Amino acid sequence: MREVRLIVHGGAGDIPEDVLKVFQKNLKGIWEIGNKLLEDGWDSLSVVEKVITLMEDSGVFDAGMGSFPNKEGYVEMDASIMTSDGRAGAVGGVRTVRNPIRLARLIMEETSHVMLVGEGAERFAERYNLPSFVPKESYHKFSSDTVGAVAIDKRGIISAGTSTGGTKGKLPGRVGDSPIISAGTYASFWGGVSATGLGEDIIKFGLAKKIDILLRQFPAQTAVDMVVNEGKMKGLKFGVIVLDRRGNIGVGYTTKAMAWYPR
Ligand code: ASP
């Protein structure tokens, strides 16, 4: 039996101290629930889906119920999930689904595709009676951020997932890195990665896959340090959480702050 491990994040950016405290408190509570489930024998895929669902429902983060509206005032969400046994699902630009991470898992398990977007994704979700996203009258005044999780279970299977409402004031139809496998999320025999930050930077950098390749040679923290150094030199804005196949954790960011747990 493998030792289990879970790591969660609540985004990276210019997060003020008081907001970071709120994020950290929420992450800790959610991590404790997820970690207990892993210890009880839940598979990593279900734990990643569960903790991200809790973060989407919390309304505290820029994901699910807490998502930022786009430039025209409505929410469009993205999410993805992947497992070390080579399965992946993703969803882009959905407006009506409360938990995009659950939809990403359904796309992975119930279709032959990796990604569905927009109206087609919403119609697919209707078949499974997923809870609906209810638009709010007002959105947070404080900066909130994308969420993600990576877990390794007792069988040694690694899963990673990411969910977001995207960047504040984005154009309608804009999709960031979070639902892009190899950019915002990746999992393989070598480890699992969930990213956050400026999606445009992360996509062009190929962040999650870059880390996955480094994990063939280096432990999680070394791989993260390498991409963070390169990212800083290039002026990119991102943060990542990583678990390698031995259960080592790696965390790093090029931004002012990042929220993650355990820390
Ligand atoms: N990476 C997300 C996006 O660009 C935003 C974030 O992580 O805060 O959509």
Side-chain angles (χ1 to χ4, degrees):
M1 281 297 197
R2 295 287 307 262
E3 210 181 304
V4 300
R5 193 82 83 203
L6 171 67
I7 177 162
V8 292
H9 77 76
D14 248 338
I15 312 170
E17 227 12 77
D18 52 332
V19 175
L20 197 58
K21 278 204 184 113
V22 176
F23 286 179
Q24 285 301 140
K25 192 166 170 271
N26 275 272
L27 288 176
K28 181 172 187 283
I30 289 170
W31 179 88
E32 280 165 359
I33 294 168
N35 198 54
K36 170 87 177 45
L37 295 173
L38 268 180
E39 281 171 352
D40 287 350
W42 275 41
D43 59 276
S44 59
L45 176 64
S46 300
V47 170
V48 164
E49 180 191 17
K50 177 75 183 176
V51 294
I52 293 181
T53 298
L54 290 172
M55 291 190 273
E56 289 171 338
D57 285 344
S58 73
V60 171
F61 302 100
D62 174 28
M65 293 308 292
S67 296
F68 282 132
N70 63 21
K71 217 180 181 85
E72 289 180 7
Y74 57 89
V75 163
E76 289 176 307
M77 296 163 284
D78 308 325
S80 64
I81 199 157
M82 187 167 188
T83 64
S84 60
D85 51 13
R87 296 179 298 149
V91 59
V94 283
R95 300 172 59 170
T96 58
V97 179
R98 182 183 171 109
N99 300 111
I101 197 70
R102 291 183 62 189
L103 182 53
R105 179 177 179 171
L106 280 169
I107 291 165
M108 175 176 101
E109 292 183 327
E110 304 295 334
T111 78
S112 57
H113 308 306
V114 169
M115 188 191 284
L116 294 181
V117 301
E119 205 197 311
E122 291 167 355
R123 287 216 311 267
F124 176 78
E126 278 165 22
R127 291 199 228 157
Y128 295 90
N129 290 320
L130 293 182
S132 304
F133 177 83
V134 186
K136 284 189 285 186
E137 307 246 309
S138 68
Y139 294 92
H140 329 279
K141 295 187 184 54
F142 62 83
S143 74
S144 66
D145 239 316
T146 295
V147 300
V150 188
I152 182 164
D153 61 28
K154 289 188 174 170
R155 291 183 306 144
I157 302 287
I158 301 163
S159 300
T162 311
S163 179
T164 190
T167 47
K168 207 174 188 169
K170 65 184 180 182
L171 286 175
R174 179 265 187 192
V175 174
D177 60 299
S178 308
I180 310 285
I181 297 297
S182 294
T185 303
Y186 204 77
S188 76
F189 171 79
W190 303 100
V193 182
S194 171
T196 170
L198 188 57
E200 286 71 8
D201 281 355
I202 297 169
I203 292 170
K204 289 183 277 184
F205 195 49
L207 179 60
K209 184 65 192 178
K210 197 174 284 235
I211 294 174
D212 178 68
I213 290 168
L214 290 169
L215 290 178
R216 285 148 214 238
Q217 283 188 61
F218 303 104
Q221 192 58 55
T222 312
V224 169
D225 290 344
M226 290 165 86
V227 297
V228 165
N229 285 340
E230 192 185 343
K232 277 186 180 160
M233 267 170 6
K234 292 182 166 153
L236 309 179
K237 296 273 173 256
F238 63 76
V240 274
I241 55 169
V242 178
L243 260 187
D244 67 31
R245 70 193 181 93
R246 298 187 200 285
N248 299 307
I249 285 178
V251 180
Y253 49 99
T254 65
T255 50
K256 279 204 185 127
M258 178 162 175
W260 79 92
Y261 197 84
R263 61 194 291 164

